[in-house]
Amino acid sequence: MTSFTIKLLRALSALLLWAGAAGVIAGALSPWAAIKILKSVDLSVPGALFAQGGLCLAAGVLVLLGLRRSPLLCLIAAIYTLGWVHTATVEVPRRVKHQAIGAQLALFPINRLLDQFHINDLEISDWSRPNEELLAPGLDWTNKGALVLLFGGLIGLPVDPIALFIYKWTARAKCRHCGATWLKSRHAEFCPQCGHGTAPADRWHCGVCHGDLGLKDKFCTHCGVVVVV
């Protein structure tokens, strides 16, 4: 990978991580739920007041504060954020309805008194509405921000220092002759178990002069030695 490609990936990844984190924060601070109180008053509830919204907000802030330096960690944060948003699509309407029912029960003594004077009961909200009608745009904004964050993490993954370190000490090469494995970080040119060359089958090289060989060559075309396979 050339230095220009590395710089390009880092710049593009940083831009997407900034944009994604800003989108997640803006979405978490925006309304996640919209309800109508007393049949006429519109009430919007920011996502940060819900458990999942608070976690999304924290993830976005962490990315902006320094987590963006590691696309791998940002990728993990984006995956968790998408999971929290998915959970919120079910939990937010359930929580709103639960609070509305609780408030309605708290008004029971007042409504009994109003019934004596033939006055209509006070209704906090209509909790029979479908869950989709209780969700506000902020939840979708958070989801889109997390997707941008995810994309930025994927682009920057090949140049992430943590990912490269993990790959260096976990990735293993396999001998095509005996099946033995070893860490790729050893850069072995010959198998430590059987001694055969480790070059891929389409890139065989002479063991003496290291010249390129064809798949069916019996002799090296550069130095003339017998090809051992």
Side-chain angles (χ1 to χ4, degrees):
M1 189 179 298
T2 64
S3 59
F4 174 77
T5 304
I6 293 175
K7 292 180 180 179
L8 181 62
L9 286 177
R10 286 177 176 171
L12 184 58
S13 175
L15 179 62
L16 291 174
L17 293 178
W18 270 97
V24 170
I25 293 174
L29 294 176
S30 301
W32 277 22
I35 57 176
K36 190 177 291 292
I37 302 297
L38 300 176
K39 297 182 179 182
S40 59
V41 181
D42 292 326
L43 177 64
S44 298
V45 185
L49 296 182
F50 299 98
Q52 294 83 6
L55 292 172
C56 292
L57 179 62
V61 171
L62 287 176
V63 171
L64 290 184
L65 288 179
L67 205 64
R68 66 184 185 280
R69 297 174 184 174
S70 173
L72 175 62
L73 297 181
C74 292
L75 180 64
I76 296 174
I79 293 174
Y80 272 100
T81 301
L82 290 172
W84 293 328
V85 170
H86 178 72
T87 303
T89 57
V90 177
E91 292 297 328
V92 166
R94 183 182 302 172
R95 184 67 177 173
V96 169
K97 290 181 178 181
H98 178 76
Q99 294 294 336
I101 293 174
Q104 188 66 41
L105 292 176
L107 290 178
F108 181 72
I110 298 177
N111 285 331
R112 286 192 60 184
L113 180 61
L114 293 177
D115 288 341
Q116 296 179 5
F117 296 95
H118 304 287
I119 301 176
N120 292 332
D121 293 349
L122 294 176
E123 294 185 5
I124 294 296
S125 178
D126 182 12
W127 54 79
S128 62
R129 293 172 57 192
N131 291 348
E132 294 78 9
E133 296 182 7
L134 295 175
L135 297 177
L139 195 60
D140 185 54
W141 298 344
T142 308
N143 187 70
K144 291 179 179 178
L147 289 175
V148 174
L149 193 63
L150 178 70
F151 192 46
L154 289 174
I155 289 180
L157 199 59
V159 293
D160 179 77
I162 297 179
L164 292 176
F165 178 82
I166 294 175
Y167 176 80
K168 178 180 179 181
W169 294 104
T170 58
R172 304 186 70 86
K174 183 177 181 179
C175 177
R176 65 177 182 273
H177 296 282
C178 68
T181 61
W182 60 89
L183 289 175
K184 284 188 175 181
S185 58
R186 297 181 62 182
H187 302 293
E189 296 185 3
F190 298 92
C191 174
Q193 299 297 326
C194 67
H196 283 88
T198 59
D202 59 344
R203 292 193 297 107
W204 283 2
H205 302 283
C206 175
V208 177
C209 68
H210 302 289
D212 293 334
L213 298 175
L215 294 179
K216 297 182 180 180
D217 289 350
K218 295 182 179 180
F219 295 88
C220 176
T221 58
H222 301 278
C223 65
V225 301
V226 178
V227 176
V228 180
V229 295

